[in-house]
Amino acid sequence: MTATSPLSAPPVTAALGGPLATFNRVDVPLALSAPVNLVAASPSDVVAIGWRAIGAARQSASTAVSADGQQWRAVNTAWSDGPTVDGLPRSFGAPRALAYADGIFVSVGVRVDVAEDGRSTSTAIAARSVDGATWASIDLPAAPDSLLPTQLVRLGSRWVMAAELWGGTPQRQTLLFSSSDGRTWESSGTLDFQLQYLRTTAAGLFAMGFRGENNSTQWITATSIDARTWTSSVLNLGATSPVQSVLVDGDQVVLIVSEDVTGFSKDRRARLLASRDGLSWQTMPTPPCFVAGDYVGPAAAVGGTWAIVIDAETERLAVSRDQGTTWSCTNLTGEAFEARWGPPYLIGISDVQGKLALVGGRTIEPGAQSNWVAAIWYLS
């Protein structure tokens, strides 16, 4: 257990170096106002799923597939809308995670059925596909109207899914399930904290989350080789230093932490912490394009390239090709991002058939109201 915060080490700024990032944008034919929320790729197919709000507490999901991530076509989805009532769907899907491994795509989430009196019932489901175009769904084992899948990873020959229970009270544990085929799922235990991130590393599973009691927050990291037995540690950050993103490169895990040094957001500082065992942490040099007040968006490592979105008035991307020793800093503006109607809406960073890709949406102005168009930006 860490006795003092690793953030107590004096901050060090990494060197600025390497070429600026350049991008090629590809628009994805999802429904208008639905950005790309989830993407996964096999060697022969890429799947993109997005959703948009339709009325109070309802959403509409859509899916597109591609052979190469460049040319896309819309397809029917396991999250399709059901019959409508007064123009709103009676049944609709809410996907939460999507992944590919060993010949199948798997997505998990909930299906919501709305009765004539307006009451809704939620059922946790998994959806499987071998080509990204044709899907079959399976109800997951849990009490009706209670399970909310949140994350999905592959560990060896098994899928591992994390889920929470609905209930209106603060979550104090995370349920874990595993499956060899995406059809039959079994409980594999619990984590005694609310999960934020679940990642597969070269050494097994890494989990990161928090436990909150009496206005005090404990940040927890945990590791496992089988998703059943876990070793955990308290990461002494404090309530004003939340973990905003995580990237994994082999057996190395990097947390991007927002350190609120004075209690004012304008003084917020982003710091990087690194670990090879997921339990003990050391500070890393901070990318030079992080400045006071910045928030951090998605982060990922793809093919040895690290990328971190900096969510500022002008969004920027920090890129390192030498595991954080030097960084380039690129403003996400210009023709690829078409920012004249507003900044891009970046939801994630993904590995798309070996290419680092930003996923989300770009803003268009068809009239008086802005809308999202789903888009993927590939690092050149």
Side-chain angles (χ1 to χ4, degrees), residues 205-272:
L205 288 178
F206 169 78
M208 169 81 206
F210 59 90
R211 184 186 300 126
E213 295 288 345
N214 300 323
N215 297 320
S216 175
T217 299
Q218 285 185 324
W219 299 94
I220 313 294
T221 63
T223 60
S224 176
I225 60 172
D226 60 5
R228 293 184 179 275
T229 303
W230 293 82
T231 301
S232 62
S233 178
V234 176
L235 184 60
N236 188 18
L237 294 180
T240 60
S241 297
V243 177
Q244 292 191 303
S245 277
V246 173
L247 65 83
V248 174
D249 188 0
D251 66 347
Q252 186 171 26
V253 180
V254 178
L255 308 181
I256 300 92
V257 177
S258 179
E259 180 189 13
D260 197 352
V261 293
T262 66
F264 295 94
S265 60
K266 66 180 179 61
D267 296 322
R268 185 182 301 274
R269 300 291 196 279
R271 303 281 295 276
L272 271 59

Side-chain angles (χ1 to χ4, degrees), residues 104 106 128 138 154 157-159 179-185:
I104 61 169
V106 176
R128 297 176 76 259
I138 306 98
R154 185 73 167 182
S157 62
R158 298 189 68 82
W159 298 97
S179 173
S180 61
D181 58 7
R183 292 189 183 95
T184 304
W185 294 80

Side-chain angles (χ1 to χ4, degrees), residues 58-143:
R58 302 189 189 187
Q59 68 181 39
S60 176
S62 53
T63 302
V65 298
S66 171
D68 57 5
Q70 302 293 323
Q71 302 295 321
W72 291 83
R73 61 188 176 93
V75 298
N76 292 329
T77 172
W79 312 101
S80 295
D81 299 337
T84 61
V85 178
D86 297 329
L88 295 175
R90 176 72 64 84
S91 176
F92 58 95
R96 285 295 175 263
L98 169 71
Y100 170 84
D102 295 338
I104 61 169
F105 292 93
V106 176
S107 183
V108 296
V110 295
R111 183 183 65 250
V112 181
D113 297 298
V114 182
E116 292 184 3
D117 61 3
R119 296 182 181 181
S120 62
T121 302
S122 300
T123 304
I125 68 170
R128 297 176 76 259
S129 176
V130 297
D131 59 4
T134 303
W135 294 81
S137 62
I138 306 98
D139 289 358
L140 292 174

Side-chain angles (χ1 to χ4, degrees), residues 25 27 35 336-338 340-345 360-364 371-375 377:
R25 190 192 78 237
D27 291 340
F337 293 94
E338 284 195 32
R340 65 183 183 272
W341 304 120
Y345 179 36
R362 63 182 180 89
T363 307
I364 62 170
N371 286 285
W372 298 114
V373 167
W377 292 265

Side-chain angles (χ1 to χ4, degrees), residues 186-201:
E186 61 183 21
S187 173
S188 60
T190 61
L191 293 169
D192 63 349
F193 55 85
Q194 185 172 357
L195 185 69
Q196 270 192 306
Y197 302 97
L198 181 65
R199 300 287 188 268
T200 303
T201 76

